[in-house]
Amino acid sequence: MGNSSEAFAGGVAVITGAAAGIGEGLTRRASELGMKVVIADISAEGAETLAAELRGKGREAMAVRVDVSRPEELERLAEQVHASWGDVRLLVNNAGIETIGMSWEIPAARWEQTLNINIHGVVHGVRAFAPRMLASGKPACIANLASTGSFGIMPTQTAYIMTKHAIQSFTECLYLEMQMTGKPVQVSTIVPGMVKTRIFEASAGTGEPTGADRHRAVMRELMANYGMDLAAAAEVIFDKLATGAFWIDTQPDMTRDMIDGRIAFLTERAAPRLAPMARSLLGLDG
Ligand SMILES: NC(=O)c1ccc[n+]([C@@H]2O[C@H](COP(=O)([O-])OP(=O)(O)OC[C@H]3O[C@@H](n4cnc5c(N)ncnc54)[C@H](O)[C@@H]3O)[C@@H](O)[C@H]2O)c1
């Protein structure tokens, strides 16, 4: 466990969207490393099931039902965690949803839900926890979930992609703001390539256009075939976080390909175009 155990053991980890997927993987890893884990998720049942399992192993785990799209719920979470367990060592703003469909066909409510969870959930998570981290003067870390999609484009995943571009730029600015304080608060961007989760399962929430089903099915298949195992991804993420790095990626080759493509696009100032693999995925090659 090496460096990640030294860096994090005994600390408090708050992870949003922690009842499933990457959040669950990170929660399990944090708990293995000896952290007290706060499992914050919109699914009270999912959060409590995981907390009970971890407590059954003699670990400390707290389940809190939180909807990250509501700033007041994140503020309440921060108050509750500090009152119960004191200073937070690690905050992972992880909760996020996929929304699929032509931009003009997605209902207004679904647009707002996507932006509120994926962007405002991260912003208000920082607003709730950063002041207390700074006031404590202790080492702390804020890690936000971006994506390799933060550097690329994908039609019909437009709502999701634009939120991930936003999180990357937000996190870069936040890093510099923390530097201006001179306090030991690390800021990192987590850039998963593709990790096996249920994010492309049929959408809960308010309606996506019917055409979304085909895209979701293709992405589910891709994820099943090429996605990284959750536990392996969580281990890589914690090992990199422990080094204090800003860039935390799970599949560096994918990150490099996406960033190289972005650099070429910006350098050439050509019209937006899709990589050949994405074209065939979307059925644009006839
Ligand atoms: N899986 C990937 O390959 C991948 C790649 C790049 C980025 N990401 C990012 O990782 C994060 C997690 O994705 P995942 O694949 O694990 O998704 P997932 O759908 O498997 O899990 C998401 C979790 O967030 C919770 N959640 C949803 N809305 C919430 C809300 N309003 N408040 C609190 N919790 C809420 C869900 O209940 C669920 O437990 C997302 O931000 C996603 O954009 C994932």
Side-chain angles (χ1 to χ4, degrees), residues 17 20-22 41-42 66-68 94 146-147 160 164 195 197 199:
I22 292 175
D41 202 286
I42 198 162
V66 174
D67 178 351
V68 299
N94 165 77
S147 167
Y160 177 83
K164 293 297 158 181
V195 180
T197 71
I199 197 166

Side-chain angles (χ1 to χ4, degrees), residues 50-271:
L50 180 56
E53 181 198 319
L54 296 175
R55 284 195 297 261
K57 293 178 178 166
R59 317 246 185 88
E60 290 190 85
M62 185 195 300
V64 186
R65 195 228 173 243
V66 174
D67 178 351
V68 299
S69 70
R70 297 178 174 273
E72 67 281 7
E73 293 196 16
L74 286 160
E75 185 54 41
R76 213 175 305 136
L77 173 70
E79 279 166 20
Q80 183 181 340
V81 171
H82 277 263
S84 308
W85 283 349
D87 294 321
V88 169
R89 176 70 182 86
L90 173 67
L91 168 68
V92 186
N93 288 305
N94 165 77
I97 62 167
E98 272 283 2
T99 287
I100 295 172
M102 295 293 196
S103 297
W104 56 92
E105 290 177 357
I106 295 168
R110 179 76 193 195
W111 264 106
E112 280 171 22
Q113 185 190 28
T114 310
L115 303 189
N116 283 338
I117 294 174
N118 292 15
I119 301 179
H120 295 146
V122 177
V123 172
H124 297 305
V126 171
R127 288 185 58 261
F129 285 90
R132 293 170 169 94
M133 287 175 166
L134 290 166
S136 81
K138 294 181 192 161
C141 174
I142 298 173
N144 299 330
L145 262 290
S147 167
T148 48
S150 300
F151 313 104
I153 51 168
M154 179 58 87
T156 76
Q157 264 180 262
T158 310
Y160 177 83
I161 291 284
M162 67 184 264
T163 66
K164 293 297 158 181
H165 279 243
I167 292 310
Q168 178 63 22
S169 54
F170 171 70
T171 308
E172 290 175 26
C173 293
L174 182 68
Y175 176 93
L176 293 175
E177 289 177 354
M178 281 301 171
Q179 294 245 304
M180 289 166 74
T181 70
K183 298 283 174 65
V185 180
Q186 171 188 340
V187 174
S188 299
T189 183
I190 300 182
V191 182
M194 191 173 269
V195 180
K196 278 182 188 147
T197 71
R198 297 170 58 82
I199 197 166
F200 286 109
E201 298 299 316
S203 161
T206 29
E208 286 175 315
T210 43
D213 292 350
R214 181 183 170 276
H215 189 108
R216 280 187 177 270
V218 169
M219 295 306 289
R220 272 201 305 276
E221 198 180 320
L222 260 187
M223 200 170 249
N225 291 336
Y226 303 108
M228 188 174 184
D229 173 67
L230 258 188
E235 196 171 331
V236 168
I237 290 170
F238 265 97
D239 285 351
K240 292 189 177 181
L241 281 175
T243 68
F246 175 75
W247 289 94
I248 312 291
D249 53 0
T250 58
Q251 287 122 306
D253 289 351
M254 284 180 75
T255 316
R256 200 169 35 246
D257 283 353
M258 293 298 278
I259 291 178
D260 286 351
R262 190 77 189 156
I263 290 170
F265 167 67
L266 294 174
T267 305
E268 293 162 19
R269 257 113 56 222

